[in-house]
Amino acid sequence: MQATMMMLMLGIATMADPQEDRAAIQQVLDDQAAAWNKGDLPGFMKGYLESDDLTFYSGNAKTKGWKATLERYQKKYQGTGKEMGKLKFEELSIEMLGDDHALVRGRFRLELKGETPTGIFTLILRKTKAGWRIIHDHTSG
């Protein structure tokens, strides 16, 4: 750790550690599920890149941008008579696409009153100064 800090201070490039990156990406998804399960939509949205470049596909619907994605979630899961339920990510596969991009595939399970929607998702994440963030989300459902 000290050697890495010294190399960064001296401007010497260091190689990314794929295991650390995978763990950080897993943490993004764990944090999203935990926030969702508390009803904390802003906390869930921290996993996404807050940018107009964010793309979100769900079924045949496409949403572009962080704000539009937040509004889509609010409309679908928050408000009178709506519930967020309990979210679980399963069968995750994390593939590094270089030092600053990753592909994640998996399944989701959303437990709601009277139904449990499930589906698959594909995410592309980018490593930013703030950490790993989702830049593309394609979810069945």
Side-chain angles (χ1 to χ4, degrees):
M1 179 72 164
Q2 286 181 333
T4 300
M5 291 299 290
M6 181 60 90
M7 293 174 81
L8 289 173
M9 290 174 18
L10 295 173
I12 300 170
T14 59
M15 297 295 291
D17 182 338
Q19 289 302 97
E20 285 182 17
D21 285 333
R22 281 186 184 89
I25 291 165
Q26 178 70 54
Q27 191 62 55
V28 168
L29 298 175
D30 291 347
D31 290 347
Q32 277 195 305
W36 186 275
N37 294 338
K38 293 179 198 170
D40 178 8
L41 188 55
F44 174 82
M45 289 298 296
K46 287 181 183 178
Y48 289 99
L49 182 66
E50 195 168 336
S51 167
D52 291 338
D53 294 331
L54 171 68
T55 54
F56 180 87
Y57 290 86
S58 180
N60 294 326
K62 177 183 177 184
T63 305
K64 182 119 170 91
W66 185 89
K67 185 176 179 183
T69 301
L70 172 62
E71 289 169 355
R72 181 197 175 284
Y73 277 123
Q74 288 170 326
K75 183 178 178 182
K76 186 166 182 171
Y77 295 104
Q78 293 188 321
T80 305
K82 297 184 179 182
E83 66 170 312
M84 289 180 60
K86 297 298 179 191
L87 177 64
K88 184 175 183 182
F89 296 126
E90 304 171 327
E91 300 176 33
L92 294 177
S93 164
I94 301 171
E95 179 182 348
M96 301 308 300
L97 303 175
D99 289 344
D100 61 356
H101 283 83
L103 175 68
V104 178
R105 294 183 188 104
R107 295 188 169 278
F108 72 89
R109 175 180 306 280
L110 182 59
E111 295 177 11
L112 300 167
K113 293 176 188 165
E115 65 178 315
T116 304
T118 61
I120 58 174
F121 61 88
T122 302
L123 308 173
I124 298 175
L125 289 90
R126 178 187 308 152
K127 192 175 195 177
T128 70
K129 289 180 182 179
W132 285 93
R133 296 293 182 263
I134 300 164
I135 62 172
H136 176 81
D137 181 338
H138 194 150
T139 300
S140 71

